[in-house]
Amino acid sequence: MAAYKSVGDDIGKIWRAGEDLGLSSSDIHNVFTSVFREEKEKEAIEARSRDHKRSEEGRKERSGPVSTLTHYLILATKLIMGVTAVCVMMFAVISLHNPTRKFVTRNIQDMIYPVMTRLRYMALPLLSRYPELSVWYSEECLLPNPFFDQPYIDCVSCHDTSVPITASGVNQFRDLYYNNGKVVIVTDALLHPISWTDLADKLDIEQEVEIGALKYVSKSETNVNSLNKIMKEKTLNGDIHIEWKVNRLETLHVVRKIFPRLYFIPSETEVALYRFLFVDGPESNSYQLPLTEFANVVLIQGDGSSNLTLYPSQHCQNTCSSVTVTLNATQVLFFNWIYWRPVRVNGKYVSTLAMSSFY
């Protein structure tokens, strides 16, 4: 009651103050009505503001983590789509516009080897921590393209090659023979012969057969036990053929020590991880040598000798003629498989032949 009396007294004072100012009763009543209306509107605005704030806080509490995750996923999707679109456009321009393709290829040649070398050094701690990853590290191609073909091949450089070039002391190899159709025998690449027994002494033959890296053909020797016996006794039957694909890092480290990097390979280029070794008896059958990772190929005659025929590739069959080569111990044959496809015919001796490639 006291509160109501106080409010009434206040209203009376305001009313009398209005009369003292000469205002009529209707004017004073309009002033009171206007003040009450503004006060109600102010209270309504404050109430809506409080309700909106509580609603926002509740929505953030309910969907804060989900909303943040969705926001980042949308940004990541947009970024990936943008980068993919740019890469597709660049690939299309480089592939379809021949001058651009040549310009890019010419300018990235010297960057590939240093970049890949640094990446391999960076991967070594990871491989040491998780050695099982080396299985993937050793895969040369996870998904081969059966429709790949080498475009724009100029076969003029192999047109006049009827006999191989014999050379020694090749210090300007890049300027003379690099990435062209020449067939070259380098006579001073190895200091001494390297026999298949050097490999048999340092490698686990059973393990190489088990992982499928070593395959052999012989009419008289048909099982792994007989192959292990041959390797231990170091005697080969006349028709035996052993093909060894080196794709394990452990085996590669051993092979690199036995067949070190050849002196004439340019220092700024990369030598392929994958190697092939061929051991043949004097009566082994002819066989075609496989394609290597890179097109510049070196055949190292570690021991014995090999007769080889280099046939022109499909693109150069109408321009170039086949070349016959006799490769003796410690000699190295260089060719490019873009122009040539080699077949080992025979050798008349027990032969150890190593095959590598470089960029």
Side-chain angles (χ1 to χ4, degrees), residues 170-190:
V170 188
N171 296 319
Q172 303 296 325
F173 184 85
R174 181 176 186 132
D175 298 331
L176 296 174
Y177 311 118
Y178 189 62
N179 276 330
N180 61 32
K182 303 300 181 183
V183 177
V184 186
I185 297 177
V186 181
T187 59
D188 60 346
L190 291 183

Side-chain angles (χ1 to χ4, degrees), residues 155-356:
C155 298
V156 174
S157 57
C158 69
H159 175 68
D160 297 328
T161 303
S162 57
V163 293
I165 300 171
T166 302
S168 61
V170 188
N171 296 319
Q172 303 296 325
F173 184 85
R174 181 176 186 132
D175 298 331
L176 296 174
Y177 311 118
Y178 189 62
N179 276 330
N180 61 32
K182 303 300 181 183
V183 177
V184 186
I185 297 177
V186 181
T187 59
D188 60 346
L190 291 183
L191 299 178
H192 54 80
I194 299 173
S195 172
W196 64 275
T197 57
D198 297 325
L199 299 167
D201 290 338
K202 294 179 174 61
L203 294 173
D204 188 341
I205 304 302
E206 292 185 10
Q207 187 178 27
E208 296 296 314
V209 174
E210 181 179 350
I211 64 173
L214 190 147
K215 301 177 182 178
Y216 64 99
V217 177
S218 175
K219 293 180 180 178
S220 56
E221 306 294 344
T222 58
N223 56 64
V224 176
N225 292 330
S226 60
L227 178 62
N228 291 332
K229 181 180 178 181
I230 289 172
M231 290 295 191
K232 291 177 181 178
E233 295 180 354
K234 300 179 181 179
T235 57
L236 292 182
N237 293 327
D239 66 338
I240 197 166
H241 166 67
I242 298 173
E243 182 173 322
W244 209 325
K245 183 179 180 181
V246 181
N247 58 1
R248 293 176 67 248
L249 293 180
E250 295 84 352
T251 307
L252 179 62
H253 292 158
V254 176
V255 173
R256 278 175 172 171
K257 294 178 181 179
I258 299 175
F259 290 96
R261 182 180 178 124
L262 302 173
Y263 78 89
F264 61 83
I265 296 178
S267 59
E268 64 274 14
T269 192
E270 178 184 3
V271 178
L273 288 174
Y274 313 103
R275 317 291 172 91
F276 290 90
L277 300 172
F278 307 95
V279 178
D280 291 279
E283 300 174 6
S284 62
N285 294 326
S286 300
Y287 57 91
Q288 183 173 357
L289 298 176
L291 290 180
T292 53
E293 183 178 3
F294 298 137
N296 292 302
V297 184
V298 285
L299 280 175
I300 308 169
Q301 188 68 50
D303 193 20
S305 67
S306 295
N307 292 331
L308 299 142
T309 301
L310 277 66
Y311 294 99
S313 63
Q314 181 180 356
H315 296 280
C316 298
Q317 288 177 353
N318 297 327
T319 306
C320 308
S321 303
S322 60
V323 179
T324 301
V325 178
T326 298
L327 202 60
N328 296 316
T330 71
Q331 294 182 342
V332 175
L333 175 67
F334 165 79
F335 64 92
N336 191 303
W337 59 246
I338 293 177
Y339 308 95
W340 307 104
R341 301 300 166 88
V343 173
R344 186 183 186 277
V345 182
N346 58 58
K348 299 181 181 179
Y349 302 97
V350 172
S351 168
T352 304
L353 190 65
M355 187 179 189
S356 182

Side-chain angles (χ1 to χ4, degrees), residues 70-197:
T70 303
H71 175 70
Y72 283 118
L73 285 175
I74 293 173
L75 288 179
T77 302
K78 290 181 178 179
L79 178 62
I80 293 172
M81 292 178 65
V83 172
T84 302
V86 171
C87 292
V88 170
M89 292 175 61
M90 292 177 62
F91 177 78
V93 171
I94 294 172
S95 300
L96 301 177
H97 190 244
N98 196 33
T100 303
R101 182 181 63 82
K102 290 183 178 179
F103 173 80
V104 172
T105 303
R106 183 171 60 253
N107 285 276
I108 67 172
Q109 293 286 344
D110 295 335
M111 297 173 55
I112 294 176
Y113 180 58
V115 170
M116 295 303 297
T117 300
R118 284 177 174 81
L119 286 176
R120 289 196 181 103
Y121 280 126
M122 292 170 61
L124 287 178
L126 183 64
L127 291 173
S128 300
R129 179 67 178 82
Y130 304 101
E132 61 272 11
L133 293 178
S134 63
V135 175
W136 297 99
Y137 185 76
S138 300
E139 286 292 334
E140 57 184 310
C141 185
L142 299 179
L143 185 63
N145 180 7
F147 304 105
F148 173 77
D149 191 16
Q150 185 75 24
Y152 314 115
I153 294 178
D154 184 5
C155 298
V156 174
S157 57
C158 69
H159 175 68
D160 297 328
T161 303
S162 57
V163 293
I165 300 171
T166 302
S168 61
V170 188
N171 296 319
Q172 303 296 325
F173 184 85
R174 181 176 186 132
D175 298 331
L176 296 174
Y177 311 118
Y178 189 62
N179 276 330
N180 61 32
K182 303 300 181 183
V183 177
V184 186
I185 297 177
V186 181
T187 59
D188 60 346
L190 291 183
L191 299 178
H192 54 80
I194 299 173
S195 172
W196 64 275
T197 57

